Amino acid sequence: MTKHPLFVSLLLFLTCSKAVPREIVSGQIPGSIMLRDSNNEVTYKNIIGDKEGFDRKLISINDSPALRASARYKFYYTLTPRENEILIDCAYFDTRNIYNGARASAGICGLNIELTENYDEIAQDYSNIWRASIFSFDTKEVFESGIGKDFFLGKIGEIEVFDRYPSANSLENSAPQKIIKSRSGCFNFADAVGFLVFINKDNPTLHYLDVLRSEDPLRLQRMQEQDLKKIAVKKCT
């Protein structure tokens, strides 16, 4: 028997409507957060609050639940509910390399790591690795001459991504400008913070640039290669 399209649509609606909405909220136990729906609650202890000098809070990123661990530097974690557990999808860091003064801002997504009380170590570990590699460029020339310079960070497809330090003062204040270059031209994000975003935790590859558009509430604009190509058309300076 051939099903009428309206019947198929109605069946799909009824199937989808059975999905139980889940939310992540602060828990009743101090320092905890909770995954809950209309039938169940799962509590994760020691997730928010002070820990070893870090102020950890439940926040939102692009209107979805996330965690922030901040002290001298900031670390962010996007959260995804799955059945009866909370997974960390992305981990971001916004830090500084003490050896060359460079700002290090990047993240990795697709982690699918179950949330534990030691989650704050994830972004810190990646920060340590990439500060010793991607963000380890020699800035001595800028400090000594005061003349600005662009430092290559990586490629998103055909798009080259740089951190520009226009002067020694910008380096002292760890305030680079994110620059992208294509075959057609360039674009300068000025004072907007840009996070290099990698995927695949086992073999990280650069795929996106997440641009910070708002801090309260925190909003990131995800830009893929095609998005970057559209704006990288201005004269390179």
Side-chain angles (χ1 to χ4, degrees), residues 68 135 146 173 216:
R68 182 186 68 207
F135 298 97
N173 291 303
D216 188 19

Side-chain angles (χ1 to χ4, degrees), residues 44-57:
Y44 286 78
K45 299 178 181 179
N46 302 319
I47 300 298
I48 56 178
D50 294 336
K51 179 190 176 187
E52 298 176 356
F54 280 92
D55 177 27
R56 302 175 303 163
K57 291 184 177 180

Side-chain angles (χ1 to χ4, degrees), residues 29-46:
I29 300 172
S32 71
I33 66 172
M34 188 166 54
L35 172 65
R36 72 182 183 188
D37 56 37
S38 58
N39 302 314
N40 194 30
E41 294 181 350
V42 180
T43 297
Y44 286 78
K45 299 178 181 179
N46 302 319

Side-chain angles (χ1 to χ4, degrees), residues 192-209:
V193 177
F195 293 89
L196 303 176
V197 180
F198 296 77
I199 63 171
N200 190 347
K201 60 185 176 183
D202 298 318
N203 183 28
T205 54
L206 181 56
H207 273 249
Y208 313 109
L209 185 67

Side-chain angles (χ1 to χ4, degrees), residues 11 19 24 41-42 60-61 99 109 111 129 131 134 142 146 156 158 168 186 194 197 215 219:
L11 179 62
I24 298 172
E41 294 181 350
V42 180
S60 68
I61 296 179
Y99 298 104
C109 290
L111 292 172
I129 293 170
R131 277 189 292 179
I134 298 170
V142 178
I156 300 174
E158 297 178 356
C186 297
V197 180
E215 289 198 61
R219 296 191 180 279

Side-chain angles (χ1 to χ4, degrees), residues 84-222:
N84 291 322
E85 63 180 353
I86 299 175
L87 300 179
I88 293 174
D89 178 31
C90 300
Y92 297 89
F93 59 84
D94 187 5
T95 65
R96 186 172 192 177
N97 191 331
I98 62 173
Y99 298 104
N100 62 1
R103 186 174 193 156
S105 53
I108 185 161
C109 290
L111 292 172
N112 289 324
I113 297 174
E114 185 176 4
L115 178 65
T116 70
E117 63 180 277
N118 296 318
Y119 69 90
D120 46 339
E121 297 176 0
I122 298 172
Q124 292 183 61
D125 288 343
Y126 280 105
S127 170
N128 292 335
I129 293 170
W130 289 335
R131 277 189 292 179
S133 54
I134 298 170
F135 298 97
S136 65
F137 40 80
D138 187 356
T139 58
K140 183 178 179 181
E141 181 181 343
V142 178
F143 273 123
E144 292 183 346
S145 68
I147 299 174
K149 187 174 181 179
D150 293 353
F151 297 94
F152 178 69
L153 302 178
K155 295 182 70 174
I156 300 174
E158 297 178 356
I159 299 292
E160 296 180 331
V161 185
F162 298 80
D163 266 353
R164 170 176 293 176
Y165 289 91
S167 64
N169 184 62
S170 64
L171 190 53
E172 290 169 358
N173 291 303
S174 189
Q177 299 172 354
K178 201 69 74 187
I179 305 291
I180 57 171
K181 297 182 181 180
S182 71
R183 294 178 181 177
S184 303
C186 297
F187 185 82
N188 186 340
F189 285 93
D191 58 353
V193 177
F195 293 89
L196 303 176
V197 180
F198 296 77
I199 63 171
N200 190 347
K201 60 185 176 183
D202 298 318
N203 183 28
T205 54
L206 181 56
H207 273 249
Y208 313 109
L209 185 67
D210 280 4
V211 182
L212 181 64
R213 294 306 189 188
S214 168
E215 289 198 61
D216 188 19
L218 201 149
R219 296 191 180 279
L220 297 173
Q221 179 186 8
R222 171 148 296 180

